[in-house]
Amino acid sequence: MKRRNLLTAMGLGLGGAVLATPAIAQGPPQIRWPLASTFPRELDILNGGVEFLVRRVAGLTGNRFIIDRDPSLRPTADQPMLDFVGSGGAPIGLGASYQAMDREPALVFDTSVPFGLNARQQNAWMYQGGGLALVRELLADHDVVPFPVGNTGSQLGGWFRREIRAAQDLNGLRFRVSGMAAEVLRHLGGQPQRTGYDRLRAALEDKTLDAAAWAGPHDDLRLGLHKAAPYCYYPGFLEGNAQLSCYVNRQARDRLPPEYREAVEVACAEANLWITARYDALNPAALKQLTAEGAILRPFPLEILRAAHRATEEQLEALAAASSRFRKVYASWKPFCDAQHLWFRIAENSFDRSASLQPPETSRN
Amino acid sequence: MKRRNLLTAMGLGLGGAVLATPAIAQGPPQIRWPLASTFPRELDILNGGVEFLVRRVAGLTGNRFIIDRDPSLRPTADQPMLDFVGSGGAPIGLGASYQAMDREPALVFDTSVPFGLNARQQNAWMYQGGGLALVRELLADHDVVPFPVGNTGSQLGGWFRREIRAAQDLNGLRFRVSGMAAEVLRHLGGQPQRTGYDRLRAALEDKTLDAAAWAGPHDDLRLGLHKAAPYCYYPGFLEGNAQLSCYVNRQARDRLPPEYREAVEVACAEANLWITARYDALNPAALKQLTAEGAILRPFPLEILRAAHRATEEQLEALAAASSRFRKVYASWKPFCDAQHLWFRIAENSFDRSASLQPPETSRN
């Protein structure tokens, strides 16, 4: 089955890759890879990042290595993109690793952990703190090589139909969240939902959903969630960053000439920078637009942050106790995360505060 | 003179580039570029970033485009690297654009402005907010094309031999600072110094210098500044980010095959990500080490931040009034900066605070 899928994908465009070794003597081979991506059309920044990556790979290889988005290549319902690519459904695909957390909880570290790393800290851990190597180890027997390819930055805390004044207001709340946030919300008495993006606004309007966290201002504005649920809470403690991944099928990658492998790797890194820069550049105006259209921006009560923080710690400890694979990644991530938080308080957060003439953070809690 | 310099540089390694057009018909040409970089040996992260960039360009081009650091290629004393590269001293070189601020004050926006953008916001402005295009316009008549290539993130506020309790303690203070910080310090009664890195510790020890801002914990630890001036103040409001630039000589670039031009551009973007990730990953342990070795970490008094903030605003307004070139860049940068600060307070800073169980920022000052 796995082999057959791979051959199917090869038929769709991997043919050239097979010829890579003999062809290279006559110059770099012509290769065409179909790319699988299920980002909804509305996510124009993520889709723009994919276009950017694809153009860069073509440009780096003199238009010899062409990666083409193929809308017909789609994982089956609930199949994480990394499994689709790993099983040969496509040579390359984009998605978020926490989609596979039911099978492998440690994959949350490849996307986002509540109260965890912010986007810059995530890059520091992935590229320079051993994170990427650990994530690749988790996926070693899945024939897929992941690359960070983008990050939304800190998201909003969600759109709520009613005000949230205390932790008890989360009781029974049907709240659409992603990834590990679902478990944390359950701890707090909420009812996490996995409503698809295309149903979000309607579900809030017909009151089958009480609240929804989608992404940040730019993306949320396009879905019009504020029209159905005007209370927007911050910070987005459930997803203080959301890293997207580019998955490359291992066998397909092994057949690439080394220059093309490097082109994919470097283009992913550049897209990672590009996507966060674009979210950062466009989110401020979108937030202004949202409030102009009636969104009511509110900070979460500290009581809720405390309860959610405790629930997150308990959940992480429980997962670490239950799985040596989780424990191994957590043992790298946790001290890195704590050190980042302390350092950012001194340096980045205090600098950011000084720009608004607020006093520096204190150096200890 | 300019032409002669360029020819000299070509003799040192640009020869291959001249043959690029005829050679490409037989496959990509072999090109060797000498790279000029004056980062001191102690700046291992920046130098590591240069090595990383050079390896990536080689890897992307099948070792056909080789960029080689050439220590003999050095700007004359006080000559900014961008002028050295622009005048043909080297086809490629790394430096900081604010080194040329005496000639063109608007170049501070290509490096760092006190109380300005942090590293992520700098990327957002450069890549997605029009910043890079504006900076390139400033340099259009200098035959040099700049690329962001790294960022230290927020630096420390400096090492002081004595405690700083009030704004008046800055009076007459001989304080080593870089870039626009010098003017701000002068406004506050201080005496900005441009002491070279290799003299910093000795100058603090023999008391010809009262204070010195160099970089962040990782770099400062290597210079041992804390041994001579134990009071370390934060935040580093004078340099909340410090972007490094890669300068490419325009004529040399024009002669490259398009694939090689793309290789330089994408490798610079990746190095930008790599360098910040590495600073972020290594700074926390260095800060711990510094305090273990006697560094005394203190927040700047709010009074000083207020006075410095006012001095910065006045300085920016004065520069904008004096020069239409400065005004044009400032007109893009200033509203972008204000919008970023507000958005980061809601999103990033509030998320970062929640991780330490501090209440969210308020949405207005």
Side-chain angles (χ1 to χ4, degrees), chain A residues 156-235:
Chain A
L156 292 171
W159 297 91
F160 296 74
R161 291 197 292 111
R162 284 188 304 268
E163 263 191 285
I164 299 294
R165 295 170 184 276
Q168 69 193 38
D169 292 343
L170 298 178
N171 243 323
L173 198 81
R174 292 160 304 171
F175 186 4
R176 191 271 183 194
V177 294
S178 308
M180 198 179 144
E183 272 318 299
V184 172
L185 182 62
R186 213 186 310 274
H187 266 64
L188 299 175
Q191 296 178 13
Q193 310 289 314
R194 289 195 175 180
T195 321
Y197 81 98
D198 49 346
R199 276 280 307 150
L200 277 184
R201 182 169 170 181
L204 288 167
E205 277 168 350
D206 68 21
K207 301 183 182 169
T208 52
L209 206 55
D210 301 311
W214 174 234
H218 179 81
D219 291 334
D220 291 0
L221 178 63
R222 293 171 75 97
L223 285 197
L225 302 184
H226 58 299
K227 302 274 175 70
Y231 293 98
C232 176
Y233 280 84
Y234 71 92

Side-chain angles (χ1 to χ4, degrees), chain A residues 2-346:
Chain A
K2 200 167 120 185
R3 189 66 196 158
R4 189 156 54 86
N5 276 358
L6 182 62
L7 292 174
T8 310
M10 284 165 57
L12 283 167
L14 282 181
V18 182
L19 298 173
T21 314
I24 202 163
Q26 313 141 19
Q30 195 75 37
I31 295 181
R32 186 172 289 267
W33 268 13
L35 177 142
S37 162
T38 52
F39 296 138
R41 190 173 42 84
E42 286 82 357
L43 294 175
D44 63 312
I45 295 181
L46 294 186
N47 287 313
V50 176
E51 292 307 313
F52 184 72
L53 181 158
V54 155
R55 271 201 313 277
R56 181 62 84 193
V57 170
L60 284 168
T61 60
N63 293 310
R64 288 180 190 86
F65 183 18
I66 301 295
I67 299 176
D68 242 347
R69 190 162 167 164
D70 183 340
S72 75
L73 290 185
R74 300 182 71 85
T76 54
D78 292 332
Q79 184 185 28
M81 182 61 83
L82 68 90
D83 290 334
F84 182 66
V85 171
S87 65
I92 187 168
L94 275 80
S97 292
Y98 66 13
Q99 292 166 337
M101 66 173 283
D102 288 345
R103 170 167 60 71
E104 177 55 85
L107 286 170
V108 296
F109 296 110
D110 196 34
T111 311
S112 183
V113 173
F115 299 102
L117 301 167
N118 65 29
R120 226 175 92 177
Q121 295 163 344
Q122 176 77 10
N123 285 335
W125 183 64
M126 290 298 283
Y127 294 119
Q128 299 287 338
L132 185 53
L134 285 164
V135 169
R136 286 185 177 166
E137 203 178 298
L138 287 175
L139 295 174
D141 49 0
H142 284 80
D143 286 334
V144 67
V145 184
F147 300 86
V149 77
N151 202 310
T152 63
S154 180
Q155 307 201 343
L156 292 171
W159 297 91
F160 296 74
R161 291 197 292 111
R162 284 188 304 268
E163 263 191 285
I164 299 294
R165 295 170 184 276
Q168 69 193 38
D169 292 343
L170 298 178
N171 243 323
L173 198 81
R174 292 160 304 171
F175 186 4
R176 191 271 183 194
V177 294
S178 308
M180 198 179 144
E183 272 318 299
V184 172
L185 182 62
R186 213 186 310 274
H187 266 64
L188 299 175
Q191 296 178 13
Q193 310 289 314
R194 289 195 175 180
T195 321
Y197 81 98
D198 49 346
R199 276 280 307 150
L200 277 184
R201 182 169 170 181
L204 288 167
E205 277 168 350
D206 68 21
K207 301 183 182 169
T208 52
L209 206 55
D210 301 311
W214 174 234
H218 179 81
D219 291 334
D220 291 0
L221 178 63
R222 293 171 75 97
L223 285 197
L225 302 184
H226 58 299
K227 302 274 175 70
Y231 293 98
C232 176
Y233 280 84
Y234 71 92
F237 63 87
L238 293 171
E239 287 196 66
N241 92 95
Q243 183 200 289
L244 287 308
S245 297
C246 177
Y247 307 106
V248 178
N249 178 278
R250 188 180 302 277
Q251 288 102 320
R253 181 165 183 265
D254 286 347
R255 280 191 301 273
L256 289 179
E259 296 90 328
Y260 293 11
R261 283 204 290 272
E262 297 232 7
V264 170
E265 182 170 10
V266 74
C268 285
E270 189 189 30
N272 191 3
L273 190 64
W274 189 96
I275 285 174
T276 302
R278 193 155 177 84
Y279 270 111
D280 287 346
L282 297 184
N283 270 330
L287 183 66
K288 204 171 159 188
Q289 179 72 14
L290 284 165
T291 52
E293 293 183 11
I296 302 159
L297 198 59
R298 292 276 163 85
F300 274 117
L302 192 54
E303 181 197 15
I304 287 184
L305 296 177
R306 285 212 180 96
H309 196 282
R310 201 164 43 237
T312 301
E313 299 256 298
E314 284 170 16
Q315 177 69 6
L316 288 169
E317 294 295 333
L319 288 165
S323 148
S324 63
R325 290 164 68 86
F326 192 96
R327 200 154 57 238
K328 183 172 181 184
V329 188
Y330 186 54
S332 158
W333 181 89
K334 175 66 173 158
F336 193 93
C337 189
D338 290 344
Q340 288 295 311
H341 289 165
L342 187 56
W343 163 238
F344 263 59
R345 287 185 65 171
I346 300 299

Side-chain angles (χ1 to χ4, degrees), chain B residues 44-110:
Chain B
D44 63 312
I45 295 181
L46 294 186
N47 287 313
V50 175
E51 293 306 314
F52 184 72
L53 181 157
V54 155
R55 271 201 312 278
R56 180 62 84 193
V57 170
L60 284 168
T61 60
N63 293 310
R64 288 181 189 87
F65 184 18
I66 301 296
I67 299 176
D68 242 346
R69 189 162 167 164
D70 183 340
S72 74
L73 291 185
R74 300 181 71 85
T76 55
D78 293 333
Q79 183 185 28
M81 181 61 83
L82 68 90
D83 290 334
F84 182 66
V85 171
S87 65
I92 187 168
L94 274 80
S97 293
Y98 66 14
Q99 292 167 337
M101 66 174 282
D102 289 345
R103 170 167 60 70
E104 177 55 84
L107 286 170
V108 296
F109 296 110
D110 196 35

